[in-house]
Amino acid sequence: MLGHADRLAHAGLVPVVTGIATRRLGSWLDPDGIDLAAALEATGRGTWLVDASGSRSGTSEDFIDLVSADVLVETTILDRVAGEPATTHVRRALQRGMDVVTTNKGPIACHGQALRALARERGRELRFESTVMDGCPVFSLVERTMPAVRIEGIRGILNSTSNYVTSRMRSGDSLAAALDDARRIGVAEADASNDLDGWDATMKLCCLANVLMEADLAPEAVSREDWREAPPGADGAWRQVALAERHADGTLDASVRWRPLRGDDVLAPFDGLSTAVSLRTDLLGEVTIGIRDPGTDQTAYGIVGDLVAVAQARITRARLREET
Amino acid sequence: MLGHADRLAHAGLVPVVTGIATRRLGSWLDPDGIDLAAALEATGRGTWLVDASGSRSGTSEDFIDLVSADVLVETTILDRVAGEPATTHVRRALQRGMDVVTTNKGPIACHGQALRALARERGRELRFESTVMDGCPVFSLVERTMPAVRIEGIRGILNSTSNYVTSRMRSGDSLAAALDDARRIGVAEADASNDLDGWDATMKLCCLANVLMEADLAPEAVSREDWREAPPGADGAWRQVALAERHADGTLDASVRWRPLRGDDVLAPFDGLSTAVSLRTDLLGEVTIGIRDPGTDQTAYGIVGDLVAVAQARITRARLREET
């Protein structure tokens, strides 16, 4: 029985961290590899990271220009209007010839087509499995296991906080009590409107539709119901359901709405923090994938899975370069 | 919008059929590619296939020795005791340097370790997505989208006929009426004991456990309940559930039993002809994948997906050969 590191090495990934940039605690660059235990200890104490040369580096963009790395892992916080600063980070890293893994929905939802085109043009990988469904494979599922399949519709429970809150309300709790608990366990922010008003699900739906259905869907084009618009009697039987449907004439309808789910709906059992997506396809019928109560470990695994894919792509690229 | 053939070509697959061997209507060999419309018309009329040289070829083994092909697609009918003749076909094709796609559970359930070792040794692909879940990706899901993840348990609804029958019984139909309809729509054979007594699910569970959990599980080692052993009151609330669980001490428990499923069980909504599998993993928690009411088109797609994977592997192999 192999340990995690051995299994990753077997899959082609032997990670070395050569730079860390934080929002509040500076950054650390070391082309020979950072001592991660020391970095964790420093950030745990709240002290500034100081790079190997003893100097503090500047902006995150300076960091991307300075770091000696094959891959950028982008995990900044979402700004839903502009998708910044993540989009700038992703673009700059691709332009510098790095592969990119991001957990940030903004770049993919708002600028996915342009960034993916840039990655193709530069011959680099841009991967983002953790942006939706907390690391449960959905982009990779379609890309790597359903060749030549066309996705005609997507229906999903994409926002854990809303799903958790309505699950608790079905058990008789009040919205306020459910939200308090969601905050206590770290899944809801102080202002939960991003979740309850469907913004989070909207951004995720844009990522899914734009990548899996080759759509060009902007967040503003998604018909969105916020919590105040939930129908009377929205006591938890209603769920926040994201839907993208391609019609016969090629047009796309996309919505995030409060809907009742029948007990025999394949999405219904994915309650609490769970997320799930049903894909309506031309060749494979309706395929559903879901993950039960994922947490930060699963989101982190999404990064790891993406890094393995990047490592394998780099191995292939290296072999092809040897050829020529 | 690309058509199917264009999408397959884009994925690397341009299929040419150079041989067809049937059980009752002879076989046809043509290294330049068989006229598929003519072959379909002939078998539709029930007339013998005659190969390009005008001679009828001999046994299926002779066919494998004679055919000029890169890939063998093996779709014979299961013999659950020995996994024959499929196992011989698969072995012979691998030994001849062909890649192999099979829809037959026998070779994988009974001889999976040996055949996969042979494929590795010969540097060839052995793929079998259609053996379980009618083409819905489950082997590819783990292999291609969950690197370094360890599967610790598998729980599934694997047999469509049993699932269809119990769904119909929940709607008030008798076992006999449900079975009649299952035969009429072509999912159950005259003798349904292979399905109702758990043999089909047992073979599929062996395929899953042996490949995804690196187990060495023989069909005889699966604890199996046949229909007569279904608990009193098995009126459709009970479902045929296949289970493989790795314990902390490394031992594996495997069973196919009639069990009640709670309404909030993620497998519960996969009724009728649907199939679904929940994977308990170390890094990704519990991931469930299911397909709604699959038919022969979906099983056929499983072959297509495997053929694309084979084509891509062949492209990589060709590039590596050029290198050396």
Side-chain angles (χ1 to χ4, degrees), chain A:
Chain A
M1 299 271 275
L2 296 172
H4 291 166
D6 288 333
R7 281 187 272 156
L8 288 176
H10 187 73
L13 179 65
V14 183
V16 179
V17 178
T18 56
I20 301 171
T22 70
R23 190 175 178 190
R24 294 202 185 83
L25 297 172
S27 50
W28 187 345
L29 292 165
D30 187 340
D32 297 327
I34 287 171
D35 177 346
L36 292 178
L40 269 175
E41 207 236 347
T43 53
R45 275 186 286 121
T47 54
W48 273 68
L49 296 174
V50 177
D51 69 30
S53 67
S55 66
R56 294 172 180 184
S57 60
T59 66
S60 54
E61 287 155 55
D62 296 338
F63 173 86
I64 293 169
D65 290 342
L66 285 170
V67 70
S68 167
D70 297 322
V71 191
L72 177 73
V73 178
E74 218 285 337
T75 62
T76 57
I77 289 169
L78 172 68
D79 170 299
R80 75 169 176 247
V81 180
E84 290 295 354
T87 300
T88 298
H89 295 164
V90 170
R91 189 183 298 116
R92 201 155 183 135
L94 288 172
Q95 283 166 339
R96 273 208 64 206
M98 294 159 82
D99 297 295
V100 175
V101 173
T102 180
T103 60
N104 193 310
K105 294 173 281 293
I108 310 305
C110 303
H111 308 283
Q113 304 283 20
L115 292 172
R116 291 171 70 219
L118 176 62
R120 269 194 303 275
E121 184 190 302
R122 299 293 171 119
R124 290 297 175 267
E125 295 288 309
L126 168 59
R127 305 198 70 89
F128 39 81
E129 194 63 88
S130 290
T131 54
V132 182
M133 291 185 73
D134 307 283
C136 177
V138 56
F139 296 109
S140 302
L141 176 73
V142 175
E143 177 196 339
R144 309 198 136 204
T145 79
M146 297 185 181
V149 166
R150 182 173 290 149
I151 308 295
E152 295 172 340
I154 294 172
R155 201 169 62 93
I157 297 200
L158 301 179
N159 179 256
S160 291
T161 301
S162 299
N163 207 38
Y164 176 82
V165 165
T166 54
S167 292
R168 290 288 305 271
M169 290 172 78
R170 280 197 296 286
S171 309
D173 289 311
S174 69
L175 172 62
L179 264 179
D180 276 351
D181 279 353
R183 290 187 188 108
R184 200 173 38 76
I185 61 176
V187 298
E189 292 167 54
D191 174 6
S193 62
N194 192 42
D195 299 308
L196 288 179
D197 291 350
W199 282 112
D200 177 70
T202 291
M203 299 297 278
K204 289 172 172 167
L205 185 65
C206 288
C207 293
L208 289 172
N210 291 346
V211 175
L212 302 184
M213 300 174 76
E214 293 165 52
D216 193 11
L217 180 66
E220 311 82 65
V222 175
S223 166
R224 198 181 43 74
E225 275 178 0
D226 70 24
W227 180 254
R228 289 177 302 276
E229 293 172 270
D235 56 0
W238 300 77
R239 311 276 289 269
Q240 191 191 65
V241 179
L243 189 70
E245 281 284 334
R246 174 93 65 196
H247 299 294
D249 66 359
T251 59
L252 187 89
D253 263 357
S255 64
V256 173
R257 296 209 178 102
W258 297 97
R259 289 172 186 231
L261 287 187
R262 287 168 46 132
D264 62 355
D265 190 306
V266 289
L267 299 179
F270 291 95
D271 59 5
L273 297 172
S274 305
T275 56
V277 162
S278 276
L279 304 170
R280 188 166 60 79
T281 78
D282 62 342
L283 299 176
L284 256 178
E286 185 192 291
V287 173
T288 301
I289 188 164
I291 185 165
R292 171 97 81 171
D293 290 331
T296 47
D297 280 0
Q298 279 67 52
T299 306
Y301 174 77
I303 299 176
V304 172
D306 280 348
L307 284 172
V308 169
V310 166
Q312 292 174 346
R314 294 188 74 87
I315 290 169
T316 305
R317 291 206 302 262
R319 283 175 170 171
L320 292 179
R321 264 200 310 276
E322 278 168 29
E323 249 177 62
T324 55

Side-chain angles (χ1 to χ4, degrees), chain A residues 2 7 147-148 150 288 290 301, chain B residues 2 7 147-148 150 282 288 290 301:
Chain A
L2 296 172
R7 281 187 272 156
R150 182 173 290 149
T288 301
Y301 174 77
Chain B
L2 295 173
R7 281 188 271 156
R150 183 173 290 150
D282 61 342
T288 300
Y301 175 77

Side-chain angles (χ1 to χ4, degrees), chain B residues 33-46:
Chain B
I34 288 172
D35 177 347
L36 291 178
L40 269 175
E41 206 236 345
T43 53
R45 275 186 286 121

